[in-house]
Amino acid sequence: MTTAATLSMLGVLRRVVQEVNGAADFFEALHIIVTRVRAALDIDVCSIYLKSPRSGRLVLMASEGLREESVGEVEMDVSEGLVGLVASRAEPINLENAPDHPRYRYFPETGEERFLSFLGVPIIQQRKLLGVLVVQHHEARRFDDEHVSFLITLGAQLAGAITQAEFTDEIASETPQISHVNVEATGIAGAPGVAIGRAVVAYRLAQLDSIPDREARDIDQELARFTAAVTATRGEIEDLKRRTEQVLPAEERILFDAYLMLLGSDSLVHRTEARIRAGQWAAGALRDTVRESVRVFEDMEDAYLRERAADIRDLGRRVLSHLLPDEGSDQEFPDGGILVGEDLTASHLAEVPIERLGAIVSARGTGSSHIAILARALSVPAVMGVADLPVSRLEDREVLVDGYRGRLYVNPGPELRAEFRRLVREERELEEGLRELALEPAATRDGRAVPVLANSGLLADIKPSLNSGAEGVGLYRTEVPFMIRDRFPGEEEQVEIYRQILASFDPMPVTLRTLDVGGDKALPYFPVQEDNPFLGWRGIRLTLDHPEIFLTQLRAMLKASREHPNLQILFPMITTLEELKEALVLLNRARDELLDEGFLIPMPRVGAMVEVPAAVYLVETLARRVDFLSVGTNDLVQYLLAVDRNNARVANLYDTLHPASIRALELIAEGARRAGKPVSVCGEMASDPAAIILLLGMGIDSLSVSVSAIARVKWVIRSFSTDRAEALLAQCRLLENPGQIRSLLNNALVQAGLGGLVRAGKN
Ligand code: PEP
Ligand code: MG
């Protein structure tokens, strides 16, 4: 194939995918695929067979070229026919003369005897077969390599769109047929618990695609709001045009005229108004009109006109920003509401009344994402990484969240609802049974104390931490109060935050970790754009580069400890000895400044986090410079295994019981022991019952976990002796894969009478 032909194939591919993404429903999406592909490849037939989730059979769902009446009728098992062969082999099959093949099966209703050549490629997503894409031609000829790779590429790109369109179609059905009840979506377990509630979609300001569907409460009012937003946008653009007169060449400023023209055009304004009249709220109506226009432009052959699609999107965002400011505030968050979003972050949490929050569902992220960690701290169930979730279509739908297995059900039926009510009850009973135990100190059967402390980050969760049996705060993530503001908090503001938490736990220790932003924790007012944020400017790297921010925070921590000497300070993301030394120099400087100002403040205990593999190998050297170490297994495991803790696609590879992570923890425990310093584990591994046995065997001194996990963690500690934990650790050292290690430890939990804590998943 020539370069020009390849380029045009790429163009076709891009356009088909875009059109499919914008299709109104699932069947339109399928129709677009088969018609476009048949035309682009100049062949007789293009068909799509999809695997039915219920019967497991391959059903002909759309075809251009086969008889219309066969669609929805023809179906086969994966052991039947050529389509079944493509599905079971999960690879393309390209035949010059299909009827000669022993697996050929003739379906009279399709009329396909006229077609000799056959090419089928599987449609696969995350190792799961969704269906088969087939092209056929009357001549006996093998399809060339370019055709094969075109279809493979198309199949791979369409898999996500097909899943999403299928899901949207099922939940959007107005008639509650049996098949549309309990529509299930699979994600990753984020925080344990189950919940039933109404979905509330979190959308970021001025992001068109995340605007949810919502019924207009007052059509006239919505129309007026839309007109006002268009007028305001027009004023803004005219203003821009005037201000750029001296700076931009005339041809660049034509863009503003184009914007003004579009704003006055029939298409954008009138079609949006029509949608509002049909019952959508203004933002949702605008979203649909913009999508529609974008599709028209993207479809154009002319490259210049295609570029205009971006302008329409930009214009849409501008109008939207005038529409939204007063929205949201009057939008009541329902009791037990389920917060649903494309990529939820801690700042989204700050916007909802926590006491009414029933559960969290995020299309992106994993159980190690910070929002999931916060959900656990708040005892709110969470499901993460629900790929292809049509977020904007979920607004106000009844949703059932299973945070244990990472499942989401839309329109739950009565049986499923009853089943979950039972689960909630059992859960509550277990909690109540453990309540007394939570208040006991944590010690192994042979009497070794292994204090269990709380991880915290929100002022709102101090109270629950106090009553939860926590023996202090092992990790206070100070970035959280930074994230929920619109500027850096000042020194006195910080003093107040830290003072409250120190006072609440005094005399128990409270470990305040210095600012750990970067990675997936962005400050809205301090944007950092990086290709690999987890390998970039985060934690101590950023604060050492900004001593003014760091010193303010250290001074605030020290000042807050004036009446509460239970402060401990912890430095995150330490990778080199120099970083630790520099951080200590700044801490001493902050204290000296305060002494000069007349504040008598004792030096707090200082710790370093071990969460970068380099620190594992330097552990003894680092430990000699500080009073304690704290292992951040969330990051340590992500860096050791090279698995992004937020990436749902590789979440199955993230396993804290990987032999390498166990070995790393042993090295840390040994290094700390040689330096004579205590070591605690504050990552999520510390609340995994199976992993706790190993940590006890290694001689880890204390654990810091989400408040909701404290009672269970204490239960595990109190059920094992040091000898038994050491013996189990020795057995695990001989095992080579995480699955075997988990089952060995799960058996040990069952034997110790803790079967109720065994979970299939991992942390
Ligand atoms: C960790 O990395 O394990 C940790 C406790 O820190 P964070 O989850 O805040 O990165
Ligand atoms: Mg970390």
Side-chain angles (χ1 to χ4, degrees):
M1 203 181 257
T2 61
T3 316
T6 311
L7 280 179
S8 84
M9 277 295 177
L10 268 179
V12 173
L13 198 70
R14 193 171 53 85
R15 253 174 296 144
V16 176
V17 174
Q18 270 165 3
E19 275 192 71
V20 168
N21 284 333
D25 62 37
F26 185 45
F27 290 97
E28 186 186 313
L30 296 182
H31 179 72
I32 292 169
I33 300 171
V34 292
T35 43
R36 299 294 185 272
V37 171
R38 186 170 94 144
L41 299 189
D42 195 18
I43 38 146
D44 294 327
V45 180
C46 178
S47 316
I48 294 179
Y49 296 79
L50 292 183
K51 192 167 171 189
S52 154
R54 276 168 272 276
S55 67
R57 288 167 70 79
L58 292 156
V59 183
L60 177 63
M61 297 294 287
S63 180
E64 190 70 3
L66 295 184
R67 277 196 202 122
E68 220 176 295
E69 54 271 28
S70 60
V71 173
E73 290 304 315
V74 168
E75 58 168 75
M76 68 203 76
D77 199 73
V78 284
S79 60
E80 291 176 282
L82 288 171
V83 175
L85 192 62
V86 176
S88 55
R89 283 205 193 154
E91 60 181 356
I93 290 181
N94 187 359
L95 300 172
E96 188 177 327
N97 195 340
D100 279 355
H101 194 281
R103 277 288 292 264
Y104 180 78
R105 190 178 150 198
Y106 173 55
F107 291 92
E109 54 274 55
T110 61
E112 71 180 343
E113 72 271 31
R114 293 180 283 130
F115 310 113
L116 296 180
S117 53
F118 171 100
L119 166 61
V121 300
I123 306 172
I124 294 176
Q125 196 187 31
Q126 295 259 283
R127 301 186 183 197
K128 193 174 134 210
L129 180 103
L130 300 181
V132 178
L133 194 55
V134 174
V135 292
Q136 291 171 281
H137 200 60
H138 67 276
E139 275 171 37
R141 67 158 198 220
R142 255 178 85 80
F143 286 93
D144 57 26
D145 278 357
E146 278 75 12
H147 283 132
V148 180
S149 38
F150 173 77
L151 278 203
I152 292 179
T153 319
L154 185 66
Q157 293 211 22
L158 288 176
I162 288 180
T163 322
Q164 186 171 107
E166 200 169 11
F167 193 84
T168 307
D169 198 57
E170 288 188 28
I171 57 171
S173 164
E174 294 304 327
T175 38
Q177 303 153 357
I178 298 299
S179 60
H180 291 157
V181 172
N182 300 341
V183 179
E184 181 179 339
T186 308
I188 299 163
V194 284
I196 304 180
R198 297 248 153 228
V200 180
V201 176
Y203 50 91
R204 291 225 192 87
L205 215 58
Q207 282 221 346
L208 267 172
D209 282 335
S210 49
I211 293 295
D213 279 339
R214 193 175 281 173
E215 221 172 283
R217 262 177 284 171
D218 177 338
I219 291 188
D220 288 338
Q221 200 186 332
E222 285 300 285
L223 283 169
R225 280 180 0 93
F226 177 64
T227 312
V230 169
T231 313
T233 312
R234 180 168 304 142
E236 187 182 278
I237 293 169
E238 272 163 357
D239 193 37
L240 254 177
K241 192 176 153 197
R242 244 189 330 274
R243 280 191 285 129
T244 51
E245 219 155 346
Q246 308 299 329
V247 238
L248 280 184
E251 63 270 24
E252 295 287 340
R253 291 192 310 119
I254 286 178
L255 177 67
F256 300 132
D257 291 322
Y259 274 22
L260 290 171
M261 210 177 69
L262 281 169
L263 268 183
S265 75
D266 237 26
S267 43
L268 210 66
V269 177
H270 293 176
R271 277 187 286 132
T272 306
E273 286 172 347
R275 288 190 161 97
I276 297 175
R277 281 194 198 94
Q280 260 281 9
W281 68 316
L286 176 70
R287 174 204 64 195
D288 289 343
T289 309
V290 168
R291 270 192 193 155
E292 193 178 72
S293 314
V294 162
R295 227 181 300 151
V296 171
F297 276 91
E298 279 176 344
D299 225 15
M300 295 187 173
E301 290 299 334
D302 184 291
Y304 175 81
L305 287 176
R306 269 207 311 274
E307 293 292 312
R308 303 287 63 80
D311 296 340
I312 298 209
R313 229 185 258 117
D314 182 41
L315 191 60
R317 269 194 295 266
R318 283 172 189 271
V319 179
L320 189 66
S321 67
H322 290 285
L323 266 181
L324 288 179
D326 55 344
E327 265 306 318
S329 46
D330 63 334
Q331 189 67 29
E332 259 298 276
F333 194 89
D335 224 7
I338 315 280
L339 186 67
V340 182
E342 213 47 79
D343 194 2
L344 291 180
T345 64
S347 33
H348 284 114
L349 263 193
E351 285 162 18
V352 300
I354 301 291
E355 65 290 354
R356 291 207 218 132
L357 183 62
I360 289 172
V361 176
S362 178
R364 297 221 210 111
T366 70
S368 316
S369 304
H370 284 98
I371 181 91
I373 293 173
L374 285 175
R376 290 196 285 272
L378 296 166
S379 303
V380 169
V383 176
M384 306 292 298
V386 195
D388 310 311
L389 184 71
V391 170
S392 62
R393 304 277 175 211
L394 290 178
E395 177 81 355
D396 208 32
R397 294 201 174 265
E398 186 171 28
V399 173
L400 199 152
V401 178
D402 177 353
Y404 294 104
R405 296 187 312 138
R407 297 277 198 285
L408 172 74
Y409 301 88
V410 184
N411 307 342
E415 288 93 11
L416 195 66
R417 222 181 272 144
E419 162 83 6
F420 273 82
R421 293 237 162 84
R422 186 180 59 76
L423 275 174
V424 174
R425 224 176 20 251
E426 281 178 13
E427 177 76 358
R428 209 177 300 133
E429 280 162 17
L430 178 68
E431 278 316 315
E432 274 160 20
L434 290 175
R435 194 163 296 152
E436 304 230 314
L437 188 149
L439 301 176
E440 301 286 321
T444 54
R445 293 194 86 100
D446 50 316
R448 176 164 64 102
V450 183
V452 180
L453 294 87
N455 287 348
S456 174
L458 298 170
L459 272 182
D461 65 9
I462 290 181
K463 270 228 180 65
S465 331
L466 268 176
N467 304 328
S468 63
E471 296 165 78
V473 174
L475 171 66
Y476 182 87
R477 293 180 165 95
T478 59
E479 52 277 9
V480 178
F482 277 68
M483 286 160 78
I484 58 181
R485 284 177 170 68
D486 53 9
R487 56 178 171 79
F488 283 105
E491 184 173 307
E492 285 311 314
E493 211 174 332
Q494 290 187 51
V495 171
E496 195 40 39
I497 299 170
Y498 306 148
R499 203 192 53 73
Q500 280 190 41
I501 178 139
L502 290 173
S504 309
F505 282 87
D506 199 0
M508 291 188 279
V510 170
T511 308
L512 300 183
R513 182 174 71 182
T514 61
L515 195 60
D516 183 25
V517 288
D520 65 340
K521 289 178 286 192
L523 296 178
Y525 46 89
F526 190 70
V528 177
Q529 282 299 333
E530 290 178 316
D531 284 344
N532 289 302
F534 274 116
L535 300 182
W537 207 36
R538 62 169 299 214
I540 201 78
R541 302 171 183 181
L542 189 148
T543 45
L544 287 178
D545 286 350
H546 275 284
E548 77 288 9
I549 297 172
F550 199 35
L551 281 166
T552 306
Q553 182 173 45
L554 293 171
R555 285 173 52 99
M557 289 178 175
L558 292 168
K559 267 185 165 175
S561 76
R562 248 175 311 168
E563 282 132 43
H564 307 287
N566 52 338
L567 167 69
Q568 309 199 120
I569 293 182
L570 180 61
F571 298 126
M573 281 294 288
I574 295 288
T575 312
T576 66
L577 181 60
E578 278 59 45
E579 285 169 344
L580 179 58
K581 284 184 178 171
E582 283 177 51
L584 290 168
V585 165
L586 287 170
L587 176 60
N588 277 304
R589 203 169 110 193
R591 183 163 167 263
D592 281 346
E593 282 173 14
L594 290 172
L595 289 176
D596 287 347
E597 291 164 30
F599 297 104
L600 250 182
I601 294 164
M603 193 60 178
R605 292 180 80 232
V606 179
M609 285 200 74
V610 183
E611 51 182 347
V612 176
V616 176
Y617 299 99
L618 294 178
V619 69
E620 198 179 329
T621 319
L622 297 174
R624 289 190 197 289
R625 257 92 175 173
V626 290
D627 301 302
F628 67 95
L629 295 176
S630 187
V631 190
T633 51
N634 305 339
D635 279 314
L636 185 58
V637 172
Q638 103 161 324
Y639 294 130
L640 269 178
L641 305 184
V643 178
D644 180 343
R645 62 194 266 188
N646 277 331
N647 185 342
R649 267 196 213 118
V650 287
N652 60 330
L653 298 175
Y654 187 101
D655 198 329
T656 44
L657 294 185
H658 189 294
S661 85
I662 297 175
R663 189 66 205 124
L665 277 149
E666 286 192 278
L667 288 175
I668 298 168
E670 288 158 15
R673 200 167 306 129
R674 278 196 301 275
K677 300 291 165 62
V679 52
S680 108
V681 173
C682 65
E684 295 302 305
M685 184 179 189
S687 51
D688 176 353
I692 294 169
I693 305 175
L694 298 181
L695 301 178
L696 293 175
M698 292 172 198
I700 295 292
D701 299 280
S702 61
L703 303 176
S704 189
V705 302
S706 302
V707 173
S708 56
I710 290 175
R712 293 158 198 235
V713 172
K714 286 192 177 180
W715 192 19
V716 180
I717 296 173
R718 292 166 64 94
S719 305
F720 286 85
S721 68
T722 305
D723 281 353
R724 172 85 175 126
E726 281 174 357
L728 286 163
L729 173 62
Q731 283 179 22
C732 287
R733 266 191 217 117
L734 304 176
L735 299 175
E736 287 168 349
N737 86 52
Q740 293 167 334
I741 295 175
R742 187 165 292 279
S743 21
L744 185 128
L745 296 169
N746 279 348
N747 282 340
L749 287 167
V750 173
Q751 275 172 30
L754 276 68
L757 294 187
V758 171
R759 39 180 157 159
K762 49 196 178 190
N763 254 314

